[in-house]
Amino acid sequence: MHEFLAGSSPLLVDSDNDGVADSIEVANGTSPSISNIIKEITVDTDLSQSADFTSLNDAIASIRGILRQPHVIRTRSSSGIADTDPVRISSIFSNRFADLKIILEDSYVLDITATKGYFHAIDLMSEYVTLKGEGGKIIIRNNGHVATYGLMSFRQAKDSLVIIENLSLEGQMDASQPSYGLKAKNAANKHVIRNNVVTGFVGSGSYGIFAYYENYFYNNTVSNNQIGFRWKEPSGEIYNTISVLNNGSDYHAWMPWSGITNSNNISSDTTANISGDRSRVVEFIG
């Protein structure tokens, strides 16, 4: 049969074999060459659970290259064994149609000890990545080394998006050395950073959250660090930050609030932007 005879319709083509015709994908604004079927990968530090991998870093290494479909990595620690391998989210060429989501489930603990100076527990360098906690926890120890980073997000390609949300980042630091809980530095992309708890990053020159350039901060809690929050050359917005009980100051003294949309960012000292948000008393329960 000749599908292009007058009055007939061409065959429905599905280039990526995901059950959605190319014409429909184009009409919906998605890519006909990228499958809509999500590939799910499991991580469990307990070998007896027969997950795909026993460490998050090994799971990430398995998908390095160009992604042709969305990926979700789910991590858990069924028997309470911590994941102790540093994580490198790099050389994964994702995009808005074939993105990567990493979910740290309730039982999962990533417990990393620095082995040298300028050590990063998690490097996040790929585009269109969401790193999300669903009860999991990240613990970082500097072991006396200088400049230990909990999560460092940088070097993504232009006009990409990284989402960091619902994480618990806990520093267990030798206070004689500087450390950083969450650092985001990339002039080319955007970060959305929301609903995270960052605590314990102490020592001269240490910060709970230290950001540069375009970011969107919502509902983050930063406490018991040396300096709670710093943002250099900012654009974007920041709402509902609880930065309290930090050792040096809750927000950096030179925080340039004027260039960003901001509201309801409180401090227990006098460094919040709005006078009514300063010197607030906060009690954490649980």
Side-chain angles (χ1 to χ4, degrees), residues 120-141:
H120 299 179
I122 303 175
D123 269 337
L124 203 172
M125 293 182 280
S126 293
E127 300 77 30
Y128 296 97
V129 174
T130 296
L131 182 57
K132 181 179 181 180
E134 290 186 355
K137 188 174 187 177
I138 302 166
I139 300 172
I140 306 95
R141 310 168 199 272

Side-chain angles (χ1 to χ4, degrees), residues 217-220 238-243 251 257 261-267 272-274 276-278 280:
F217 290 100
Y218 310 103
N219 309 319
N220 295 288
I238 176 170
Y239 287 95
N240 304 326
T241 307
I242 301 173
S243 186
Y251 299 91
W257 295 97
T261 304
N262 64 93
S263 181
N264 299 323
N265 302 293
I266 71 169
S267 68
N273 181 41
I274 298 171
D277 292 332
R278 300 171 188 160
R280 302 293 293 272

Side-chain angles (χ1 to χ4, degrees), residues 75-226:
T75 67
R76 54 185 74 100
S77 302
S78 295
S79 59
I81 302 169
D83 188 346
T84 58
D85 291 343
V87 175
R88 302 288 175 262
I89 308 169
S90 63
S91 300
I92 297 172
F93 301 100
S94 44
N95 58 64
R96 63 192 181 95
F97 302 118
D99 61 345
L100 171 61
K101 181 177 288 187
I102 301 168
I103 299 173
L104 312 183
E105 294 188 355
D106 186 47
S107 62
Y108 180 78
V109 177
L110 182 68
D111 191 336
I112 304 297
T113 299
T115 57
K116 59 183 180 180
Y118 298 91
F119 182 89
H120 299 179
I122 303 175
D123 269 337
L124 203 172
M125 293 182 280
S126 293
E127 300 77 30
Y128 296 97
V129 174
T130 296
L131 182 57
K132 181 179 181 180
E134 290 186 355
K137 188 174 187 177
I138 302 166
I139 300 172
I140 306 95
R141 310 168 199 272
N142 67 356
N143 200 28
H145 292 290
V146 64
T148 299
Y149 294 73
L151 168 58
M152 178 71 176
S153 182
F154 64 133
R155 295 182 181 172
Q156 293 87 3
K158 185 177 180 180
D159 298 327
S160 60
L161 175 66
V162 169
I163 300 174
I164 300 167
E165 60 183 343
N166 296 358
L167 296 183
S168 172
L169 283 159
E170 178 185 319
Q172 297 187 10
M173 299 294 166
D174 174 347
S176 65
Q177 301 293 351
S179 60
Y180 305 84
L182 190 164
K183 191 168 186 178
K185 185 177 183 180
N186 191 338
N189 80 328
K190 300 179 180 68
H191 285 89
V192 174
I193 300 172
R194 60 193 179 201
N195 303 320
N196 301 288
V197 178
V198 185
T199 185
F201 293 88
V202 295
S204 178
S206 295
Y207 297 88
I209 294 178
F210 194 161
Y212 289 75
Y213 314 127
E214 186 173 1
N215 297 281
Y216 298 85
F217 290 100
Y218 310 103
N219 309 319
N220 295 288
T221 299
V222 191
S223 67
N224 296 301
N225 304 285
Q226 192 65 33

